[in-house]
mmCIF file of all heavy atoms in Angstrom:
data_model
loop_
_atom_site.group_PDB
_atom_site.id
_atom_site.type_symbol
_atom_site.label_atom_id
_atom_site.label_comp_id
_atom_site.label_asym_id
_atom_site.label_seq_id
_atom_site.Cartn_x
_atom_site.Cartn_y
_atom_site.Cartn_z
ATOM 1 N N MET L 7 100.673 53.326 92.131
ATOM 2 C CA MET L 7 101.150 52.065 92.814
ATOM 3 C C MET L 7 99.921 51.165 92.965
ATOM 4 O O MET L 7 99.008 51.559 93.772
ATOM 5 C CB MET L 7 101.825 52.436 94.206
ATOM 6 C CG MET L 7 102.973 53.338 94.050
ATOM 7 S SD MET L 7 104.496 52.496 93.624
ATOM 8 C CE MET L 7 104.815 51.606 95.144
ATOM 9 N N LEU L 8 99.896 50.002 92.360
ATOM 10 C CA LEU L 8 98.771 49.187 92.269
ATOM 11 C C LEU L 8 98.988 47.856 92.955
ATOM 12 O O LEU L 8 99.867 47.141 92.550
ATOM 13 C CB LEU L 8 98.372 48.913 90.789
ATOM 14 C CG LEU L 8 97.126 48.087 90.515
ATOM 15 C CD1 LEU L 8 95.932 48.661 91.088
ATOM 16 C CD2 LEU L 8 96.988 47.760 88.999
ATOM 17 N N VAL L 9 98.214 47.547 93.954
ATOM 18 C CA VAL L 9 98.209 46.317 94.706
ATOM 19 C C VAL L 9 97.145 45.386 93.947
ATOM 20 O O VAL L 9 95.975 45.663 94.009
ATOM 21 C CB VAL L 9 97.871 46.484 96.154
ATOM 22 C CG1 VAL L 9 97.929 45.085 96.817
ATOM 23 C CG2 VAL L 9 98.725 47.422 96.881
ATOM 24 N N SER L 35 100.282 40.831 92.616
ATOM 25 C CA SER L 35 101.450 41.214 93.476
ATOM 26 C C SER L 35 101.214 40.992 94.947
ATOM 27 O O SER L 35 102.032 41.382 95.778
ATOM 28 C CB SER L 35 101.743 42.751 93.306
ATOM 29 O OG SER L 35 100.566 43.513 93.469
ATOM 30 N N ASN L 36 100.146 40.416 95.262
ATOM 31 C CA ASN L 36 99.646 40.260 96.712
ATOM 32 C C ASN L 36 98.606 39.169 96.736
ATOM 33 O O ASN L 36 97.856 38.962 95.743
ATOM 34 C CB ASN L 36 99.032 41.579 97.075
ATOM 35 C CG ASN L 36 98.950 41.799 98.555
ATOM 36 O OD1 ASN L 36 99.851 42.064 99.203
ATOM 37 N ND2 ASN L 36 97.662 41.624 99.009
ATOM 38 N N PRO L 59 103.848 38.244 98.920
ATOM 39 C CA PRO L 59 103.267 39.022 99.973
ATOM 40 C C PRO L 59 101.765 38.507 100.239
ATOM 41 O O PRO L 59 101.007 38.390 99.270
ATOM 42 C CB PRO L 59 103.272 40.478 99.435
ATOM 43 C CG PRO L 59 104.287 40.547 98.471
ATOM 44 C CD PRO L 59 104.266 39.114 97.777
ATOM 45 N N HIS L 129 99.918 41.189 106.432
ATOM 46 C CA HIS L 129 100.402 42.502 105.906
ATOM 47 C C HIS L 129 99.102 43.437 105.765
ATOM 48 O O HIS L 129 99.124 44.608 105.762
ATOM 49 C CB HIS L 129 101.096 42.405 104.639
ATOM 50 C CG HIS L 129 102.417 41.703 104.805
ATOM 51 N ND1 HIS L 129 103.403 42.007 105.726
ATOM 52 C CD2 HIS L 129 102.949 40.652 104.003
ATOM 53 C CE1 HIS L 129 104.431 41.139 105.549
ATOM 54 N NE2 HIS L 129 104.201 40.402 104.646
ATOM 55 N N ARG L 157 97.887 47.131 109.648
ATOM 56 C CA ARG L 157 97.745 48.584 109.188
ATOM 57 C C ARG L 157 96.768 48.794 108.029
ATOM 58 O O ARG L 157 96.137 49.874 108.003
ATOM 59 C CB ARG L 157 99.118 49.089 108.758
ATOM 60 C CG ARG L 157 100.170 49.213 109.879
ATOM 61 C CD ARG L 157 101.563 49.547 109.300
ATOM 62 N NE ARG L 157 101.481 50.781 108.556
ATOM 63 C CZ ARG L 157 102.302 51.064 107.494
ATOM 64 N NH1 ARG L 157 103.120 50.128 107.208
ATOM 65 N NH2 ARG L 157 102.251 52.179 106.863
ATOM 66 N N PHE L 158 96.598 47.795 107.212
ATOM 67 C CA PHE L 158 95.780 48.053 105.915
ATOM 68 C C PHE L 158 94.627 47.102 105.833
ATOM 69 O O PHE L 158 94.601 46.054 106.309
ATOM 70 C CB PHE L 158 96.772 47.719 104.787
ATOM 71 C CG PHE L 158 97.773 48.895 104.404
ATOM 72 C CD1 PHE L 158 99.035 48.753 104.904
ATOM 73 C CD2 PHE L 158 97.314 50.035 103.749
ATOM 74 C CE1 PHE L 158 99.948 49.774 104.714
ATOM 75 C CE2 PHE L 158 98.272 51.027 103.541
ATOM 76 C CZ PHE L 158 99.580 50.876 103.945
ATOM 77 N N ARG L 201 94.579 52.129 107.428
ATOM 78 C CA ARG L 201 94.777 52.686 106.148
ATOM 79 C C ARG L 201 94.209 51.781 105.013
ATOM 80 O O ARG L 201 94.028 50.624 105.227
ATOM 81 C CB ARG L 201 96.263 52.993 105.909
ATOM 82 C CG ARG L 201 96.826 53.969 106.970
ATOM 83 C CD ARG L 201 98.423 54.121 106.805
ATOM 84 N NE ARG L 201 98.716 54.531 105.430
ATOM 85 C CZ ARG L 201 99.858 54.400 104.926
ATOM 86 N NH1 ARG L 201 100.886 53.891 105.597
ATOM 87 N NH2 ARG L 201 100.128 54.993 103.708
ATOM 88 N N THR L 250 97.621 55.571 94.838
ATOM 89 C CA THR L 250 97.632 54.169 95.291
ATOM 90 C C THR L 250 96.255 53.608 95.018
ATOM 91 O O THR L 250 95.267 54.146 95.154
ATOM 92 C CB THR L 250 98.041 54.123 96.867
ATOM 93 O OG1 THR L 250 97.022 54.757 97.557
ATOM 94 C CG2 THR L 250 99.377 54.672 97.024
ATOM 95 N N GLN L 303 102.845 50.866 88.590
ATOM 96 C CA GLN L 303 103.841 49.927 89.166
ATOM 97 C C GLN L 303 103.066 48.957 90.188
ATOM 98 O O GLN L 303 102.368 49.486 91.095
ATOM 99 C CB GLN L 303 104.913 50.681 90.007
ATOM 100 C CG GLN L 303 105.918 49.799 90.701
ATOM 101 C CD GLN L 303 106.932 50.577 91.478
ATOM 102 O OE1 GLN L 303 107.107 51.764 91.200
ATOM 103 N NE2 GLN L 303 107.585 49.872 92.474
ATOM 104 N N LEU L 304 103.214 47.698 89.963
ATOM 105 C CA LEU L 304 102.516 46.760 90.870
ATOM 106 C C LEU L 304 103.320 46.558 92.083
ATOM 107 O O LEU L 304 104.573 46.677 92.117
ATOM 108 C CB LEU L 304 102.405 45.333 90.136
ATOM 109 C CG LEU L 304 101.143 45.100 89.383
ATOM 110 C CD1 LEU L 304 100.909 46.058 88.289
ATOM 111 C CD2 LEU L 304 101.159 43.639 88.856
ATOM 112 N N CYS L 305 102.686 46.451 93.235
ATOM 113 C CA CYS L 305 103.375 46.345 94.566
ATOM 114 C C CYS L 305 102.393 45.621 95.518
ATOM 115 O O CYS L 305 101.360 45.173 95.131
ATOM 116 C CB CYS L 305 103.575 47.877 95.038
ATOM 117 S SG CYS L 305 102.114 48.734 95.477
ATOM 118 N N ALA L 306 102.851 45.533 96.810
ATOM 119 C CA ALA L 306 102.055 44.912 97.811
ATOM 120 C C ALA L 306 101.674 45.943 98.869
ATOM 121 O O ALA L 306 102.251 47.040 98.913
ATOM 122 C CB ALA L 306 102.933 43.811 98.420
ATOM 123 N N PHE L 307 100.756 45.605 99.758
ATOM 124 C CA PHE L 307 100.417 46.500 100.800
ATOM 125 C C PHE L 307 101.590 46.930 101.619
ATOM 126 O O PHE L 307 101.679 48.018 102.049
ATOM 127 C CB PHE L 307 99.343 45.806 101.675
ATOM 128 C CG PHE L 307 97.909 45.962 101.119
ATOM 129 C CD1 PHE L 307 97.304 44.859 100.482
ATOM 130 C CD2 PHE L 307 97.257 47.140 101.221
ATOM 131 C CE1 PHE L 307 96.069 45.012 100.028
ATOM 132 C CE2 PHE L 307 95.986 47.286 100.720
ATOM 133 C CZ PHE L 307 95.344 46.163 100.135
ATOM 134 N N LYS L 308 102.486 45.962 101.913
ATOM 135 C CA LYS L 308 103.674 46.300 102.691
ATOM 136 C C LYS L 308 104.599 47.368 101.984
ATOM 137 O O LYS L 308 105.488 47.866 102.743
ATOM 138 C CB LYS L 308 104.432 45.048 103.073
ATOM 139 C CG LYS L 308 105.090 44.324 101.910
ATOM 140 C CD LYS L 308 105.687 42.980 102.364
ATOM 141 C CE LYS L 308 106.264 42.137 101.245
ATOM 142 N NZ LYS L 308 107.548 42.868 100.710
ATOM 143 N N ASP L 309 104.362 47.589 100.708
ATOM 144 C CA ASP L 309 105.168 48.627 100.062
ATOM 145 C C ASP L 309 104.581 50.067 100.079
ATOM 146 O O ASP L 309 105.246 50.919 99.673
ATOM 147 C CB ASP L 309 105.315 48.256 98.565
ATOM 148 C CG ASP L 309 106.071 46.820 98.407
ATOM 149 O OD1 ASP L 309 107.019 46.571 99.138
ATOM 150 O OD2 ASP L 309 105.463 46.069 97.591
ATOM 151 N N LEU L 310 103.306 50.128 100.558
ATOM 152 C CA LEU L 310 102.666 51.436 100.580
ATOM 153 C C LEU L 310 103.158 52.252 101.738
ATOM 154 O O LEU L 310 103.490 51.791 102.778
ATOM 155 C CB LEU L 310 101.171 51.236 100.596
ATOM 156 C CG LEU L 310 100.561 50.507 99.380
ATOM 157 C CD1 LEU L 310 99.008 50.352 99.546
ATOM 158 C CD2 LEU L 310 100.865 51.224 98.078
#
Side-chain angles (χ1 to χ4, degrees):
M7 297 282 286
L8 179 65
V9 181
S35 56
N36 196 79
H129 296 310
R157 297 170 56 211
F158 284 98
R201 299 176 59 195
T250 61
Q303 178 181 341
L304 269 59
C305 67
F307 276 102
K308 64 186 180 68
D309 302 318
L310 297 181

